[in-house]
Amino acid sequence: MGMDFSTLRSLISRFCAGEENCVDTRTVYIGHKEPPPGAEAFIQQRFPDNRIVSSKYTFWNFVPKNMFEQFRRVANFYFLIIFLVQLIIDTPTSPITSGLPLFFVIIVTAIKQGYEDWLRHKADNAVNLCPVHVVQHGRVVRTQSRKLRVGDVVHVKQDETFPCDLILLSSSRDDGTCYVTTASLDGESSHKTYHAVQDTKAYKTEKEVACIHATIDCEQPQPDLYKFRGNINIYMGNEPVSRSLASQNLLLRGATLKNTEYIFGVAIYTGMESKMALNYQSKSQKRSAVEKSMNAYLVVYLCILISKAVINTVLKYVWQADPNKDEPWYNEKTETERQRHILIRAFTDFLAFMVLFNYIIPVSMYVTVEMQKFLGSYFIMWDDEMLDEELGERAVVNTSDLNEELGQVEYVFTDKTGTLTENNMEFIECCVDGTVYEPDAICNGQVMPGAADIDMIDTSPGPQARERAELFFRALCLCHTVQVKEEETVDGIKHGIHQGKSSSFYISSSPDEVALVEGMKRLGFTYLRLKDGQMEILNRDDEVERFELLEVLTFDSVRRRMSVIVRSSTGELYLFCKGADSSIFPRVISGKVEQVKARVEHNAVEGLRTLCVAYRPLSPEQYEQVCHLLTRAKLEFQDQDKLVAEAYDLIERDLILLGATAVEDRLQEKAADTIESLHKAGMKVWVLTGDKMETAAATCYASKLFRRSTQILELTTKRTEEQSLHDVLFELKRTVLRHYGTMPRDISSGLSSEYADYGLIIDGATLSAVMRPNQEDSNSGNYKEIFLEICRNCSAVLCCRMAPLQKAQIVKMIKTSKEHPITLAIGDGANDVSMILEAHVGIGIMGKEGRQAVRNSDYAIPKFKHLKKMLLVHGHYYYIRISELVQYFFYKNVCFIFPQFLYQFFCGFSQQPLYDTAYLTLYNISFTSLPILLYSLMEQHINMDILKKDPSLYRDIAKNSLLTWPIFIYWTVLGVYDAIVMFFGAYFLFDNTTFTSNGQMFGNWTFGTLVFTVLVFTVTFKLALDTHYWTWINHFVIWGSLVFFVVFSLLWGGIIWPFLNYQRMYYVFMQMLSSGPAWLSIILLITASLLPDVVKKVFWRALWPTTTERIQNADKLYKGQLSEFTPLEALQPPPKAGGQRRGSANQRNAANPRRSDTPNKKVMLTRWQRTTDYCTFTPFLRLSEGSRRSKLGNAYSRAGPETSV
């Protein structure tokens, strides 16, 4: 059912390739009514139902599909083959030794993946079965979401989520508008205004809506949230009325209806064709870099295994070529064996040797790795420092397979709204003609403590200045799209309550506007309401002023300003305009421009969001011209946007500057400190947001993504309109390479903050152009590669106005670049799901925008600040632990199997095992598995506090540095050396010698037991030497495993033997221990095996110590208290007295989290290159608490010759 999936795939691929001008359309019949005869042909198209499917398996395909996926893993497939060989031919060992561990791994993994998919089915059903209301035959009928069809008329009430993509037909509001939050789609939690179709907005009841006779022609579904084209044909009389439809008429699935009682809309995109679903990526299996290294090592050891089997097979037949050695009496062939072809016999012997040596690749390693990942994930969930008491939430691990990947991250892609910021705007100050007005802290209607006794406005300016200031305040009270909500609760949270009294609450599509209107309220001018086209203001004298709202010139990202035209009660006409300084100053003809510009620049340096305010008095004749321009532009359906923009441009001219405002977007607690730590750890941080460029850039400055010295490079639509994309890209490339061209890659890649001078800003439209294959100019080269080269040489990148799928494209582009870096994506909304699924590691934040990101992520954390510990501590530990686990497992199995290989040279290549079957089975399962498992769960090679305070230690493990080929070869050579020492040591020490008091000689099982005893003790002591973090559990497990081996051997050889079918191990272990030379040999061989590794470690640590080893030595010197004296602080001079050094962002937030609580600005005298300069520092490079600005005047304090900025 539904449209052909190949068509859907082609649509998506065409959009991703930049072919947005898709000609395919669909016709939707509203209410499933046929058009009147003669109007148009009735062609009933088939569309998918409204089901959302995110699960991977069904009940019927789970077993075959899961088995296929599991046996695609090289290790699982290899062990399956070995198991089948053991079943088919006569091999030296039992099939149980390979089969049981393999089936245990398969069953456990299948249960785990089945449970995860069951949770996805459960989440899908919760969505698909939720109730929705549909208009049928003039009545509202309740049905399930999954049963919705294209063409159904849907009734949605306030605070409900839209069940599919709808065209707005009418709303409870008289003007046909409704207000919507799209937080789960694009991350913006502000209210947005959508408009009903002009000819249907009057239909308010279900009976009236059921009478609508119309069809909609629109484009086929495509993932861009911000684009929609179509038209509606309404059959009202003889001639159908046609109206164009745009994105302002389209309500998207996942958005929520706000501040509107109800709406009626017609479904046009349902289920997996909705824009939200098209922006979701399918959930693929992620594999860590460590797992890839394990598979590479597996292939190497598989080659070693095959070569061993081939060598032994060849040498066996060479040895048997001598007739005297071919058939000794103890190994005489049967008649069947003699008649078998030599190639068949050789192949059978080859398989037998493969089985004998197959323990070099132990399936138990994969079992141990799975257990380590599963159990290790609980350390994240149990971490009290990652508990958010406000939310009552802990960190959650959805996928434990990627724990070690947290220690390998090179790129961090983060959302902005709700991730870096709280999306909570705060009015800081306003400047009118050079005079600064600064109220106390206002935050969403909540007055900060201690503000009641402060005089909000300085009354010292003269009457003219006061009149100008009041005009400025009126302008901000009128020039906005804010709505007033009278109720006490919004979204279930009480608002607008001051001193126990209920009052109005402001909501808007822009949180900046709310902050400005609330700021004006504190400055004495209160916006009351918009009623019957009249905007009402309560002035400082408690008088209500009314202004008739005539026109609203809405904000857009190209103009970067908005305007209103109002008529006062005295009949005067005004145009009030507010916008970015770059869009206002060129249009100003009078006013105190220089004073205001200086204040704007000052606030911009502080990272505040600034807006300029201007006005223009209009005569009646000028207003008539304005009306004529706007009416003519809005009636044009062709190029309507262009004509409206030209009309706005003509109207917003000859302005008189009034002043400017400064608003701060509240960062999440310790967000700046976290980003700074990630930079120091060598990670590049990119911000991918659907927000406006100006908003996002201000946040980047506040969060220290962009520093004060960062040179910003813009790759935006505005710039590509002035220059061609080709010229802009090559100019930016020349700019960055001029500085970085002569530097080594590791420096220019942004690992060193000293050289990180460039920051790049790109918007979604330009990114589409960059990603599109260029066909116009063959000489232009590959834009994508040039863009990547620019990004590599920038310390930080900001991507704004991103659609969700574009976020995933950015992550994929970096992920698949030639360096193949490890990527991490973090976000809190449904719009972040695509990039979370695309990145190597996806982290969801438990924010206010639903749980879609958390549900689809690999890990979930309450706040952005918890990312610091997750990567720098947990990620570091996980990688250290599992890298040691992998190398150690291969090492101990080389030690285990190589003596078996050497033993074949002394037993006629007869496939005789060196060790008893019990030892072969239990070596990896019992004797040596628990110590390394505990090590991989508990080891802390460096104190946790040091890792948090010195992020640069993260670089020591970057790029999978502990699982490189040289280290792998070292462990393998060490294993071979130990095996040779064990085997030949025992062989030469016991050659032609009697050992027991009664003259008995040791047999082959005693010899094998001696080698095995040395082996178990050697590999266990090796792990003990590598352990830095000792607890009673370590001691218990390491020494306990050796005691268990001894006790088991005594029981196996002396007590359990009567119950066995064979008695070859009877009293062997006790007989060996009764010999003094055997004891001496065990001690000597263990010492000889461990000595080279110990000597190497001692000399390397003394002569060429790593940073980690230096810290370990220092920590021992300070007796575990080194965390109080971190390496970075030890290398830096102590801070000057008097608090002149800047506190970090987390200190600022912890000590005094609100900037406006301490409004006094301070100017700091700083010496740069031995010259004196007065520099006003930014809030994200905040002064310490003792050096805040004072209301009494500017205080100057002198810093040292070098001040860290």
Side-chain angles (χ1 to χ4, degrees):
M1 184 176 178
M3 69 179 290
D4 185 18
F5 281 101
S6 62
T7 308
L8 185 57
R9 269 197 304 272
S10 66
L11 284 167
I12 297 172
S13 62
R14 262 189 288 183
F15 172 76
C16 296
E19 294 181 23
E20 298 166 13
N21 298 319
C22 176
V23 295
D24 295 336
T25 60
R26 62 168 55 185
T27 301
V28 178
Y29 301 96
I30 297 179
H32 308 287
K33 295 179 182 177
E34 296 184 19
E40 60 181 84
F42 177 67
I43 304 172
Q44 185 65 54
Q45 300 178 31
R46 298 184 65 191
F47 304 109
D49 60 21
N50 201 39
R51 271 181 293 199
I52 290 291
V53 179
S54 63
S55 55
K56 193 174 180 181
Y57 306 106
T58 66
F59 177 81
W60 304 107
N61 71 10
F62 174 74
V63 172
K65 192 172 181 180
N66 186 263
M67 290 299 106
F68 174 74
E69 288 182 351
Q70 290 209 56
F71 284 114
R72 283 170 64 188
R73 293 177 69 172
V74 178
N76 290 347
F77 184 73
Y78 162 76
F79 290 119
L80 178 65
I81 296 298
I82 291 295
F83 174 68
L84 294 176
V85 168
Q86 287 178 292
L87 288 175
I88 294 168
I89 68 169
D90 183 23
T91 56
T93 56
S94 168
I96 295 174
T97 58
S98 296
L100 273 180
L102 172 65
F103 292 128
F104 175 74
V105 172
I106 295 296
I107 290 169
V108 168
T109 307
I111 291 172
K112 176 188 167 189
Q113 292 180 351
Y115 175 70
E116 289 175 349
D117 202 64
W118 176 76
L119 292 178
R120 286 194 285 270
H121 272 284
K122 193 176 176 183
D124 289 344
N125 287 334
V127 173
N128 295 330
L129 299 178
C130 72
V132 297
H133 297 89
V134 179
V135 177
Q136 291 180 358
H137 310 296
R139 293 184 300 113
V140 174
V141 179
R142 181 170 172 168
T143 185
Q144 293 176 344
S145 175
R146 65 191 174 105
K147 295 181 180 178
L148 273 182
R149 293 184 298 153
V150 171
D152 284 345
V153 177
V154 183
H155 181 244
V156 182
K157 298 177 183 177
Q158 183 170 347
D159 294 327
E160 289 183 350
T161 300
F162 301 124
C164 58
D165 291 352
L166 305 167
I167 291 294
L168 179 59
L169 296 176
S170 65
S171 78
S172 59
R173 291 179 164 277
D174 294 334
D175 57 0
T177 59
C178 72
Y179 301 102
V180 170
T181 57
T182 57
S184 63
L185 295 170
D186 57 13
E188 295 186 22
S189 57
S190 53
H191 289 58
K192 296 179 179 177
T193 306
Y194 288 82
H195 300 271
V197 177
Q198 189 69 24
D199 299 275
T200 63
K201 69 179 183 181
Y203 297 87
K204 300 292 184 184
T205 66
E206 52 267 29
K207 288 185 178 180
E208 293 174 348
V209 171
C211 296
I212 295 175
H213 199 181
T215 60
I216 294 174
D217 294 316
C218 60
E219 61 190 3
Q220 292 287 12
Q222 50 114 335
D224 192 334
L225 296 178
Y226 307 107
K227 287 190 178 179
F228 175 75
R229 293 196 306 272
N231 59 67
I232 181 170
N233 301 307
I234 305 167
Y235 304 102
M236 303 177 71
N238 295 329
E239 290 293 326
V241 177
S242 182
R243 301 287 185 195
S244 63
L245 298 174
S247 57
Q248 66 183 10
N249 307 115
L250 180 66
L251 305 172
L252 299 178
R253 177 176 190 144
T256 306
L257 183 65
K258 293 291 182 183
N259 209 26
T260 307
E261 189 178 342
Y262 63 85
I263 63 102
F264 289 101
V266 58
I268 57 166
Y269 302 132
T270 54
M272 300 306 289
E273 287 187 346
S274 64
K275 287 182 180 284
M276 182 182 76
L278 292 179
N279 274 281
Y280 281 176
Q281 304 270 93
S282 59
K283 191 157 189 173
S284 58
Q285 192 73 26
K286 295 181 180 180
R287 294 168 59 223
S288 68
V290 170
E291 187 178 344
K292 293 173 185 174
S293 297
M294 283 169 56
N295 289 338
Y297 297 162
L298 180 73
V299 171
V300 172
Y301 273 73
L302 192 59
C303 294
I304 294 173
L305 171 62
I306 293 171
S307 62
K308 280 184 179 181
V310 169
I311 290 169
N312 275 262
T313 305
V314 171
L315 291 177
K316 175 177 182 176
Y317 284 91
V318 170
W319 187 76
Q320 290 182 352
D322 186 344
N324 297 324
K325 298 178 180 178
D326 186 23
E327 291 189 35
W329 62 269
Y330 56 82
N331 199 24
E332 189 173 348
K333 295 188 180 73
T334 63
E335 191 61 34
T336 307
E337 288 177 328
R338 288 195 185 95
Q339 291 177 357
R340 194 181 297 169
H341 194 278
I342 187 170
L343 289 178
I344 296 176
R345 281 188 285 140
F347 183 68
T348 305
D349 285 330
F350 169 76
L351 292 179
F353 279 120
M354 286 281 289
V355 170
L356 184 65
F357 299 142
N358 90 88
Y359 296 94
I360 197 171
I361 308 172
V363 69
S364 60
M365 178 178 71
Y366 287 88
V367 178
T368 308
V369 167
E370 288 289 333
M371 291 178 66
Q372 189 269 346
K373 289 182 175 182
F374 175 72
L375 296 174
S377 63
Y378 282 94
F379 288 106
I380 289 179
M381 294 188 277
W382 291 337
D383 192 337
D384 288 336
E385 291 185 20
M386 298 176 74
L387 165 68
D388 187 85
E389 295 180 357
E390 181 186 347
L391 296 174
E393 298 274 9
R394 288 184 177 272
V396 175
V397 178
N398 295 326
T399 307
S400 59
D401 295 339
L402 303 170
N403 291 345
E404 64 278 5
E405 205 81 328
L406 295 171
Q408 295 296 295
V409 175
E410 297 172 61
Y411 280 81
V412 175
F413 298 93
T414 175
D415 180 39
K416 181 189 76 70
T417 309
T419 304
L420 289 180
T421 70
E422 296 175 356
N423 201 33
N424 206 357
M425 303 299 173
E426 180 182 337
F427 179 78
I428 301 300
E429 67 170 41
C430 59
C431 170
V432 184
D433 287 345
T435 304
V436 176
Y437 298 89
E438 188 171 308
D440 60 325
I442 316 293
C443 188
N444 280 357
Q446 303 300 311
V447 182
M448 296 301 115
D453 299 329
I454 301 175
D455 185 13
M456 293 304 119
I457 301 182
D458 182 6
T459 56
S460 57
Q464 186 176 359
R466 184 185 177 92
E467 185 180 329
R468 294 275 293 180
E470 291 187 352
L471 182 61
F472 175 87
F473 300 148
R474 288 188 181 93
L476 284 176
C477 284
L478 297 170
C479 187
H480 56 73
T481 57
V482 169
Q483 309 141 46
V484 181
K485 193 168 180 68
E486 301 293 343
E487 290 86 349
E488 290 186 8
T489 59
V490 173
D491 302 343
I493 303 169
K494 289 191 176 182
H495 289 289
I497 297 176
H498 181 53
Q499 295 178 351
K501 298 178 182 178
S502 167
S503 63
S504 59
F505 176 75
Y506 299 125
I507 55 177
S508 171
S509 60
S510 168
D512 299 72
E513 289 192 327
V514 174
L516 291 174
V517 174
E518 286 178 340
M520 293 305 101
K521 184 176 181 179
R522 293 300 299 164
L523 290 171
F525 281 77
T526 305
Y527 172 62
L528 297 177
R529 66 184 66 83
L530 171 63
K531 185 177 181 182
D532 299 328
Q534 297 281 333
M535 299 183 81
E536 297 180 1
I537 298 174
L538 185 68
N539 62 23
R540 296 190 70 199
D541 301 321
D542 290 334
E543 298 171 350
V544 176
E545 300 178 6
R546 289 181 175 84
F547 293 82
E548 183 184 355
L549 180 62
L550 301 174
E551 297 285 349
V552 177
L553 282 59
T554 54
F555 177 89
D556 64 66
S557 57
V558 177
R559 285 166 50 242
R560 299 170 69 189
R561 60 184 179 272
M562 77 156 289
S563 302
V564 294
I565 299 176
V566 295
R567 180 185 284 118
S568 69
S569 56
T570 58
E572 296 168 325
L573 291 163
Y574 291 101
L575 180 141
F576 292 117
C577 181
K578 72 177 180 192
D581 57 325
S582 58
S583 65
I584 296 292
F585 285 140
R587 299 178 171 273
V588 167
I589 56 171
S590 66
K592 297 185 179 180
V593 177
E594 293 305 318
Q595 293 94 320
V596 175
K597 186 179 287 187
R599 195 65 193 174
V600 166
E601 290 174 356
H602 171 271
N603 287 331
V605 169
E606 287 203 354
L608 301 178
R609 301 160 62 121
T610 58
L611 285 175
C612 292
V613 181
Y615 80 105
R616 174 188 171 190
L618 296 174
S619 64
E621 293 78 16
Q622 289 174 321
Y623 175 63
E624 288 296 327
Q625 293 176 359
V626 166
C627 288
H628 179 69
L629 277 172
L630 292 175
T631 304
R632 189 177 64 181
K634 289 178 180 178
L635 286 176
E636 290 288 340
F637 289 105
Q638 299 292 332
D639 299 325
Q640 183 183 13
D641 292 343
K642 181 182 176 183
L643 291 171
V644 169
E646 290 174 354
Y648 286 175
D649 184 65
L650 291 171
I651 296 166
E652 296 169 327
R653 289 187 176 180
D654 303 329
L655 303 176
I656 301 169
L657 185 64
L658 284 172
T661 63
V663 173
E664 186 176 33
D665 188 1
R666 302 289 304 162
L667 280 180
Q668 279 200 19
E669 182 188 4
K670 298 185 181 178
D673 172 63
T674 302
I675 287 183
E676 193 173 24
S677 297
L678 297 182
H679 274 305
K680 289 178 180 176
M683 287 173 254
K684 282 192 171 185
V685 182
W686 289 34
V687 173
L688 311 181
T689 178
D691 217 337
K692 300 192 295 289
M693 187 181 87
E694 297 80 17
T695 307
T699 303
C700 290
Y701 276 108
S703 63
K704 297 188 181 179
L705 184 75
F706 293 155
R707 291 180 295 279
R708 186 167 177 266
S709 59
T710 303
Q711 182 179 338
I712 302 301
L713 308 174
E714 284 192 20
L715 186 55
T716 57
T717 306
K718 183 180 178 183
R719 186 164 180 188
T720 53
E721 286 174 355
E722 297 168 357
Q723 288 178 270
S724 69
L725 179 61
H726 174 274
D727 293 342
V728 174
L729 280 170
F730 276 88
E731 183 181 326
L732 293 178
K733 183 180 178 181
R734 281 194 299 271
T735 302
V736 295
L737 292 184
R738 189 182 305 127
H739 183 73
Y740 287 116
T742 57
M743 291 186 184
R745 171 62 62 187
D746 60 337
I747 294 178
S748 62
S749 64
L751 294 183
S752 172
S753 59
E754 296 177 21
Y755 296 98
D757 289 326
Y758 292 105
L760 178 69
I761 298 177
I762 183 171
D763 59 21
T766 312
L767 179 69
S768 294
V770 169
M771 302 288 280
R772 185 187 303 128
N774 190 286
Q775 298 173 348
E776 299 172 5
D777 184 3
S778 59
N779 298 321
S780 63
N782 192 336
Y783 288 166
K784 189 174 168 183
E785 285 302 318
I786 300 170
F787 174 66
L788 273 173
E789 186 67 26
I790 295 168
C791 292
R792 286 190 198 104
N793 291 302
C794 290
S795 61
V797 178
L798 165 61
C799 304
C800 48
R801 282 297 176 198
M802 291 280 123
L805 206 59
Q806 284 183 307
K807 293 184 178 184
Q809 289 173 358
I810 283 273
V811 175
K812 186 175 183 179
M813 180 181 69
I814 295 298
K815 190 170 98 173
T816 57
S817 61
K818 59 185 178 183
E819 293 92 356
H820 296 290
I822 303 299
T823 57
L824 179 146
I826 180 170
D828 68 325
N831 60 314
D832 304 313
V833 169
S834 292
M835 73 168 180
I836 284 173
L837 294 177
E838 183 62 54
H840 292 96
V841 182
I843 296 182
I845 287 186
M846 301 166 186
K848 304 171 185 176
E849 300 176 9
R851 284 290 188 267
Q852 291 95 328
V854 170
R855 200 165 56 238
N856 287 276
S857 63
D858 304 308
Y859 303 88
I861 54 178
K863 293 286 175 61
F864 182 77
K865 65 179 181 180
H866 298 134
L867 183 65
K868 178 180 177 180
K869 187 172 186 184
M870 179 169 268
L871 297 184
L872 301 187
V873 178
H874 289 293
H876 198 120
Y877 282 156
Y878 283 138
Y879 178 72
I880 291 287
R881 293 164 181 169
I882 203 163
S883 58
E884 175 84 10
L885 185 152
V886 171
Q887 302 280 26
Y888 177 79
F889 246 102
F890 281 113
Y891 155 78
K892 74 185 182 71
N893 282 282
V894 170
C895 295
F896 180 44
I897 288 303
F898 202 72
Q900 179 75 70
F901 171 72
L902 297 174
Y903 185 60
Q904 296 306 304
F905 289 84
F906 297 88
C907 68
F909 305 100
S910 60
Q911 295 135 23
Q912 167 67 30
L914 174 63
Y915 314 115
D916 179 62
T917 302
Y919 288 158
L920 282 171
T921 305
L922 296 178
Y923 175 73
N924 280 311
I925 294 177
S926 299
F927 299 148
T928 60
S929 61
L930 206 53
I932 184 59
L933 176 61
L934 193 77
Y935 174 96
S936 64
L937 292 173
M938 305 287 290
E939 174 64 2
Q940 296 182 20
H941 64 303
I942 295 178
N943 186 286
M944 188 181 296
D945 293 329
I946 296 175
L947 288 178
K948 283 193 290 188
K949 291 184 178 181
D950 192 352
S952 62
L953 291 170
Y954 191 88
R955 299 183 195 175
D956 290 351
I957 60 169
K959 298 190 182 295
N960 206 13
S961 61
L962 299 183
L963 287 174
T964 57
W965 287 108
I967 296 176
F968 167 72
I969 292 168
Y970 169 77
W971 280 86
T972 304
V973 170
L974 186 64
V976 171
Y977 165 79
D978 289 351
I980 291 172
V981 168
M982 294 170 200
F983 183 84
F984 286 108
Y987 177 78
F988 288 118
L989 285 171
F990 298 162
D991 192 26
N992 297 323
T993 310
T994 57
F995 285 89
T996 58
S997 56
N998 59 7
Q1000 284 184 324
M1001 294 182 65
F1002 283 176
N1004 67 312
W1005 293 116
T1006 311
F1007 176 76
T1009 302
L1010 178 66
V1011 173
F1012 190 80
T1013 303
V1014 175
L1015 165 68
V1016 171
F1017 276 81
T1018 299
V1019 297
T1020 306
F1021 286 158
K1022 162 67 177 165
L1023 186 63
L1025 288 171
D1026 286 348
T1027 302
H1028 295 95
Y1029 185 71
W1030 284 92
T1031 64
W1032 69 268
I1033 305 177
N1034 294 76
H1035 286 289
F1036 176 79
V1037 170
I1038 287 180
W1039 313 127
S1041 66
L1042 294 177
V1043 171
F1044 172 75
F1045 162 69
V1046 173
V1047 172
F1048 173 83
S1049 298
L1050 290 171
L1051 293 174
W1052 183 250
I1055 296 175
I1056 302 178
W1057 67 268
F1059 306 102
L1060 301 178
N1061 293 327
Y1062 61 90
Q1063 300 180 7
R1064 65 191 183 195
M1065 291 299 291
Y1066 174 58
Y1067 232 62
V1068 166
F1069 191 73
M1070 282 174 279
Q1071 184 189 36
M1072 182 191 75
L1073 293 184
S1074 66
S1075 167
W1079 281 88
L1080 181 63
S1081 299
I1082 291 171
I1083 295 170
L1084 287 175
L1085 292 177
I1086 292 172
T1087 306
S1089 298
L1090 295 175
L1091 189 62
D1093 189 48
V1094 173
V1095 170
K1096 177 254 178 189
K1097 284 189 174 182
V1098 170
F1099 275 97
W1100 277 70
R1101 188 177 280 262
L1103 299 176
W1104 304 285
T1106 63
T1107 307
T1108 300
E1109 288 168 347
R1110 285 197 190 98
I1111 290 173
Q1112 288 169 349
N1113 293 335
D1115 204 26
K1116 289 176 184 175
L1117 185 65
Y1118 283 99
K1119 298 181 180 179
Q1121 302 300 315
L1122 181 63
S1123 58
E1124 298 177 11
F1125 315 97
T1126 68
L1128 285 182
E1129 290 178 353
L1131 296 173
Q1132 293 174 351
K1136 298 283 183 183
Q1140 295 304 312
R1141 289 178 65 87
R1142 309 195 181 284
S1144 63
N1146 60 328
Q1147 291 169 333
R1148 172 174 81 92
N1149 288 331
N1152 197 342
R1154 301 196 177 273
R1155 177 191 180 278
S1156 49
D1157 282 351
T1158 52
N1160 301 319
K1161 295 181 174 60
K1162 179 157 185 174
V1163 178
M1164 186 172 186
L1165 176 62
T1166 312
R1167 276 188 252 165
W1168 301 96
Q1169 298 178 352
R1170 303 190 181 279
T1171 61
T1172 304
D1173 185 20
Y1174 292 89
C1175 304
T1176 305
F1177 284 80
T1178 65
F1180 53 87
L1181 298 174
R1182 193 77 64 169
L1183 299 175
S1184 62
E1185 296 304 314
S1187 57
R1188 299 281 184 168
R1189 50 201 172 111
S1190 169
K1191 278 188 178 289
L1192 298 176
N1194 290 330
Y1196 297 88
S1197 58
R1198 183 173 298 277
E1202 293 181 6
T1203 302
S1204 172
V1205 178

